[in-house]
């Protein structure tokens, strides 16, 4: 594994950091969060037009840039530094890869170029707080999370003119504003129950959406009600098995989220180091006290370890198809155990962000507790991500379970 970034990757990071520094300051961030959409549309247009960010990991044949998940993770690391609210996670990390993997050629041709250009945003609607289960991050995604019969979730039935959906989905990232909804729905009744994915226009008749109050306002969420809504099946008629695709997507999502959390943790640490170097107590900067140095050193070690894990997870996701050819290598041995490095990287990154954000509030003293300071935004991002994609102990438990580390009560060797 070559840990050095390519010239192209360095350019992506540099250009994105400059753009976000210019257009996503503290005031702009708060204004975007308070807007109806929950993000700044002009900034999103700039990210799409100047950098091609929404289509960074989509093939050139479908209007994308043709990069890999590694470049997408590096871009999300920069987005995480500023906590920039945008439809990037919902559109490019969750929805677009599913359309690319499962969609028909006509669906790909129609939707992916618009998603890559940023003119269309999308959201993955999974019933209940079960996104991590659907992506196989914290449990098996056997399909039970989609609901069935009267158990809730979203129900799909086939009628003469196609499919109709009925149900409600809460906690959908950018669900209140996305132009396209990728909805997981239960169909087939009890005898032949299965989970399928459907495409629903955001303004379709029968769709009722409302923005929800979220702990982390920089990740806007919406509640979606589907009242006998016309929908298009994602993929070929007869329905493909979407569960493996969702589980495979989980590895990429975990790697990208880990990189994003590392970016947020790194920036929280930077701000804290700057502050303790300026704040004076007893005639000297508080950063000169040994106790403060030790606390920040622990945060630094945690952030750097999380960054290494996140980068490796992104690299492993891209190179997973070559794992069989490297069965004797470290990567091959890891995959033979069934481990999922993405889950462990995400767990470590979320833990590092929580620690960095907590220390930022503590070491900023009285100002760190105020609404006017940005420290609470990083803390809420840490807590909100654990609620959405964790918690940390469940991510690690699932990785250990798949690796067989505690099979038959013994540690696997």
């Amino acid at each position: 594994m070559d840990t050095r970034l390519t010239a192209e990757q360095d350019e992506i990071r540099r250009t994105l950091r400059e753009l976000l520094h210019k257009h996503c300051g503290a005031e702009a961030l708060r204004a975007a969060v308070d807007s109806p959409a929950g993000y700044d549309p002009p900034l999103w247009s700039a990210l799409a037009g100047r950098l091609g960010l929404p289509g960074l990991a989509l093939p050139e044949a479908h209007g994308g840039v043709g990069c890999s998940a590694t470049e997408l993770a590096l871009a999300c690391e920069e987005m995480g530094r500023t906590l920039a609210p945008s439809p990037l996670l919902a559109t490019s990390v969750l929805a677009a890869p599913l359309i690319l993997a499962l969609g028909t050629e006509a669906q790909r041709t129609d939707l992916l170029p618009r998603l890559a250009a940023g003119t269309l945003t999308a959201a993955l609607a999974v019933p209940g707080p079960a996104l991590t289960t659907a992506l196989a991050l914290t449990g098996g995604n056997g399909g039970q999370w989609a609901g069935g019969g009267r158990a809730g979730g979203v129900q799909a039935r086939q009628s003469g003119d196609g499919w109709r959906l009925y149900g409600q989905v809460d906690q959908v990232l950018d669900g209140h504003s996305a132009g396209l909804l990728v909805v997981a729905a239960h169909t087939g009744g009890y005898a032949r129950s299965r989970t399928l994915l459907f495409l629903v226009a955001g303004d379709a008749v029968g769709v009722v959406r409302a923005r929800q109050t979220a702990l982390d306002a920089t990740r806007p969420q919406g509640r979606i009600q589907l009242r006998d809504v016309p929908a298009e099946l994602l993929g070929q008629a007869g329905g493909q098995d979407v569960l493996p695709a969702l589980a495979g997507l989980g590895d990429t999502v975990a790697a990208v989220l880990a990189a994003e959390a590392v970016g947020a943790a790194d920036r929280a640490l930077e701000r804290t180091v700057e502050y303790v170097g300026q704040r004076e107590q007893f005639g000297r900067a508080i950063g000169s006290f040994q106790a403060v140095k030790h606390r920040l050193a622990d945060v630094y070690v945690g952030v750097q370890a999380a960054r290494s894990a996140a980068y490796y997870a992104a690299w492993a996701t891209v190179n997973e198809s070559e794992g069989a050819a490297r069965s004797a290598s470290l990567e091959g041995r890891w995959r033979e155990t069934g481990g999922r490095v993405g889950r462990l990287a995400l767990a470590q990154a979320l833990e590092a962000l929580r620690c960095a954000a907590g220390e930022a509030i503590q070491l900023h003293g009285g100002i760190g507790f105020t609404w006017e300071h940005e420290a609470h935004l990083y803390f809420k991002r840490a807590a909100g991500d654990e609620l959405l994609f964790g918690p940390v102990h469940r991510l690690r438990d699932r990785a250990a379970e798949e690796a067989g580390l505690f099979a038959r009560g013994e540690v696997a060797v």
Side-chain angles (χ1 to χ4, degrees):
M1 174 182 175
D2 188 354
T3 59
R4 293 172 298 179
L5 298 181
T6 65
E8 183 182 32
Q9 291 170 341
D10 275 327
E11 182 65 16
I12 290 173
R13 295 182 63 178
R14 183 190 64 80
T15 306
L16 184 54
R17 182 173 296 190
E18 290 178 355
L19 183 62
L20 293 174
H21 178 74
K22 184 177 180 180
H23 296 284
C24 198
E27 293 184 4
L29 173 62
R30 292 177 185 272
V33 165
D34 292 336
S35 68
Y39 66 93
D40 183 10
L43 176 60
W44 176 246
S45 298
L47 293 172
R50 291 177 54 181
L51 302 178
L53 192 60
L56 192 63
L58 288 176
E60 294 183 50
H62 295 294
V65 179
C67 293
S68 68
T70 302
E71 286 73 25
L72 185 59
L74 290 172
C76 285
E77 181 182 358
E78 294 303 317
M79 298 288 284
R81 286 178 59 86
T82 59
L83 302 180
S86 79
L88 182 65
L89 177 60
T91 298
S92 303
V93 181
L94 293 173
L98 290 173
I99 296 173
L100 178 64
L102 301 174
T104 64
E105 188 59 34
Q107 289 170 338
R108 295 192 195 110
T109 303
D110 175 41
L111 298 174
L112 291 180
R114 290 190 286 157
L115 293 174
T119 57
L120 176 67
T121 60
L124 175 61
V126 172
L131 183 59
T132 56
T133 304
L135 298 176
L137 294 177
T138 58
N141 70 338
Q144 296 85 353
W145 47 267
R150 299 185 178 215
V154 178
Q155 313 304 316
R157 62 178 178 84
Q158 204 164 10
S159 60
D161 58 346
W163 289 89
R164 316 287 292 192
L165 303 185
Y166 189 91
Q168 179 172 309
V169 191
D170 299 307
Q171 295 179 297
V172 180
L173 291 174
D174 293 303
H176 63 293
S177 62
L180 175 69
L181 304 175
V182 181
V183 183
H186 182 273
T187 184
Y190 291 102
R192 296 176 298 164
S193 62
R194 56 179 176 166
T195 300
L196 299 177
L197 292 176
F198 296 88
L199 302 174
V200 177
D203 57 356
V205 177
V207 175
V208 180
R209 303 190 289 179
R211 184 175 177 180
Q212 299 286 80
T213 300
L215 173 63
D216 177 14
T218 63
R219 284 210 198 280
Q221 302 175 32
R223 181 185 67 242
I224 300 173
Q225 294 178 337
L226 304 166
R227 302 172 180 175
D228 199 30
V229 174
E232 179 184 355
L233 179 67
L234 179 62
Q236 300 290 343
Q240 296 175 256
D241 186 2
V242 304
L243 300 182
L246 284 167
L249 176 63
D251 295 336
T252 302
V253 171
V256 170
L257 285 170
E260 186 186 64
V262 165
D266 189 49
R267 182 55 185 152
L269 175 60
E270 283 182 6
R271 292 175 64 94
T272 308
V273 171
E274 292 171 2
Y275 179 79
V276 300
Q278 300 169 358
R279 170 70 172 173
E280 291 189 359
Q281 193 76 348
F282 305 111
R284 54 191 288 195
I286 62 174
S288 65
F289 296 124
Q290 191 175 38
V292 174
K293 290 180 180 179
H294 286 177
R295 291 171 68 170
L296 291 177
D298 288 341
V299 174
Y300 176 80
V301 171
V303 171
Q304 293 305 316
R307 175 176 281 116
S308 297
Y311 284 5
Y312 176 73
W315 175 87
T317 299
V318 174
N319 293 271
E320 188 171 3
S321 59
E322 304 173 14
R326 299 190 301 272
S327 58
S329 67
L330 175 62
E331 303 88 61
R333 290 197 300 272
W334 172 263
R335 291 188 182 91
E336 286 174 358
T337 64
R340 286 287 184 259
V341 66
R343 296 187 185 91
L344 295 178
L346 178 56
Q348 190 163 0
L350 291 178
E351 197 168 59
L353 175 55
R354 182 178 59 194
C355 180
E359 290 289 10
I361 291 177
Q362 289 289 321
L363 294 177
H364 273 83
I367 189 65
F369 287 85
T370 64
W371 185 259
E372 290 74 20
H373 200 271
E374 286 76 43
H376 72 95
L377 297 176
Y378 288 89
F379 189 83
K380 289 176 179 177
R381 170 61 66 89
D385 274 6
E386 280 210 55
L387 290 173
L388 282 171
F389 306 109
V392 167
H393 70 273
R394 290 192 61 193
L395 290 166
R396 288 175 172 154
D397 178 72
R398 179 61 178 172
E401 178 186 348
E402 288 201 346
L405 294 180
F406 304 108
R408 297 181 300 278
E410 300 177 357
V411 177
V413 296

